[in-house]
Amino acid sequence: MNDGTSRGVLRPGWSAEVGDYAIAGGWTPRGEALVVGDAAGGVYAFEGRSGATIWAQRGVHEGGVLALAMQPNRSAFATAGQDGRVLVWSAVEGRVSQAIDIGSGWVENLAWSPDGQSLAASCSREVHAFGADGARIWRSEPHPSTVSAIAWSGAKELATACYGRVTFFDVSTGEVRQKLEWIGSLVSMVLSPDGDIVACGSQDNSVHFWRRSTEQDSMMSGYPGKPSALAFNDTGTLLATGGGEAVTVWSFQGNGPEGTRPGVLELHFRAVTTLAFARGGRRLASGARDGAVVVWSLGRNGQGDPVGVAPVADVVGAVYWRPDGRALAALDAQGGVTAWRTA
């Protein structure tokens, strides 16, 4: 995995660099550009097929970028950072169209609603929602602890995770629609595409999940570390989880995952840091602290095999499939941005 070459479905593409640790990024809807934010507060756009720099804005967020979210169906995106600001950008021009001051705290999480008409951001114990025009729609009351994750379950419903609970809010009214409680520190969260299954990684090295329709909950334990990387495929039948050197994949087919054995995907030799499913199938990408990116082909039961492997310069911070599934990008801790064509 460390001989510097890509293998299998990962074909040579391009590489570029940003000014510091590449924190977060994303592809525009048709894959024309990949945008990236770094730990020095810079934001960059690279041409999707060649990797040529389209534009670069350095030092935009004082203290560094913490989050980046692509606006659905538009060539626009939002960034947030340690300076308490949210910026909405044109990906084509590198121009800031809106600047929103949230407060003096770090803005750690960003998420657009599925229709792209609302943007949510968390700052310390509060969550804020804004319209596409930047006008504030709603602001939550303080949560019991710092909000660790946010996710939309529909155009008007937002989920938040913090210590001891996941809460679903009607963003139009601020009404709490549902609370799912469990004693423990929740460090990550992902929702199934239909919004019914909520999965959270916990500080106690477990994955806790609920079915909203029944409010039944279960726990998968035995991870060697905190499962901070979680991903559902687009049918909601497979949940991939980190939490160690192996990728553990749970199948929600039939009566699963309770009483079933997960798929255990072993190739990384250091902890998995990021996971992402390609659209329209069961192809999963994983990145790890070993600097390796692996593509897996999975069966319906979560078992699978590696079909592509490639190295990057340092710890893999994030992986992103191009929307058409024909390219995969990875960000690393040395500021590297690497994209491969995928067979």
Side-chain angles (χ1 to χ4, degrees):
M1 285 196 291
N2 293 314
D3 63 0
T5 60
S6 58
R7 302 173 186 168
V9 301
L10 294 176
R11 308 291 174 80
W14 54 263
S15 61
E17 291 185 354
V18 295
D20 206 324
Y21 196 128
I23 295 291
W27 295 91
T28 54
R30 292 191 296 274
E32 313 98 315
L34 178 76
V35 295
V36 179
D38 71 15
V43 183
Y44 304 75
F46 301 100
E47 204 281 328
R49 295 194 179 277
S50 69
T53 300
I54 302 172
W55 54 262
Q57 302 280 2
R58 293 174 175 82
V60 177
H61 285 282
E62 185 177 352
V65 172
L66 295 176
L68 186 153
M70 305 303 296
Q71 188 174 14
N73 306 315
R74 294 167 178 81
S75 291
F77 65 98
T79 59
Q82 295 187 29
D83 55 6
R85 296 196 304 159
V86 172
L87 304 179
V88 180
W89 300 73
S90 162
V92 175
E93 302 169 354
R95 177 179 56 84
V96 175
S97 60
Q98 295 163 23
I100 304 169
D101 288 318
I102 290 185
S104 58
W106 294 8
V107 183
E108 297 187 78
N109 297 288
L110 281 178
W112 288 95
S113 60
D115 61 2
Q117 294 302 304
S118 303
L119 175 66
S122 75
C123 181
S124 186
R125 297 192 297 147
E126 295 181 347
V127 176
H128 306 248
F130 304 90
D133 60 358
R136 190 190 304 274
I137 301 171
W138 167 80
R139 176 179 180 174
S140 75
E141 294 295 325
H143 286 61
S145 65
T146 298
V147 175
S148 56
I150 60 176
W152 293 86
S153 60
K156 300 297 182 182
E157 188 180 55
L158 183 71
T160 67
C162 67
Y163 183 91
R165 77 184 196 201
V166 172
T167 309
F168 287 83
F169 295 93
D170 183 316
V171 173
S172 301
T173 65
E175 176 188 357
V176 174
R177 290 185 171 179
Q178 191 174 28
K179 281 186 183 180
L180 303 171
E181 297 181 327
W182 181 72
I183 298 175
S185 181
L186 305 177
V187 299
S188 58
M189 177 176 65
V190 67
L191 307 183
S192 61
D194 64 4
D196 186 52
I197 301 168
V198 185
C200 291
S202 177
Q203 186 80 26
D204 67 359
N205 298 355
S206 69
V207 172
H208 205 86
F209 76 91
W210 296 262
R211 289 181 172 87
R212 293 187 65 194
S213 53
T214 62
E215 295 197 353
Q216 290 183 334
D217 63 324
S218 293
M219 184 174 70
M220 302 95 148
S221 57
Y223 291 87
K226 294 179 292 187
S228 57
L230 306 172
F232 266 110
N233 70 341
D234 57 10
T235 63
T237 54
L238 295 176
L239 171 65
T241 62
E245 297 171 0
V247 180
T248 304
V249 184
W250 300 90
S251 174
F252 284 76
Q253 297 265 25
N255 296 322
E258 296 93 338
T260 66
R261 297 183 64 182
V264 179
L265 313 179
E266 296 179 302
L267 191 59
H268 293 291
F269 60 86
R270 295 190 66 188
V272 171
T273 54
T274 181
L275 296 163
F277 277 99
R279 290 182 183 175
R282 294 190 297 273
R283 185 172 280 188
L284 173 69
S286 62
R289 296 191 67 82
D290 57 14
V293 173
V294 182
V295 175
W296 309 85
S297 179
L298 305 182
R300 294 179 183 274
N301 61 358
Q303 305 290 340
D305 296 298
V307 293
V309 183
V312 296
D314 206 331
V315 173
V316 183
V319 289
Y320 302 101
W321 290 97
R322 200 168 71 188
D324 63 5
R326 295 181 178 179
L328 177 69
L331 312 182
D332 72 53
Q334 286 191 24
V337 182
T338 308
W340 302 270
R341 294 178 297 114
T342 56

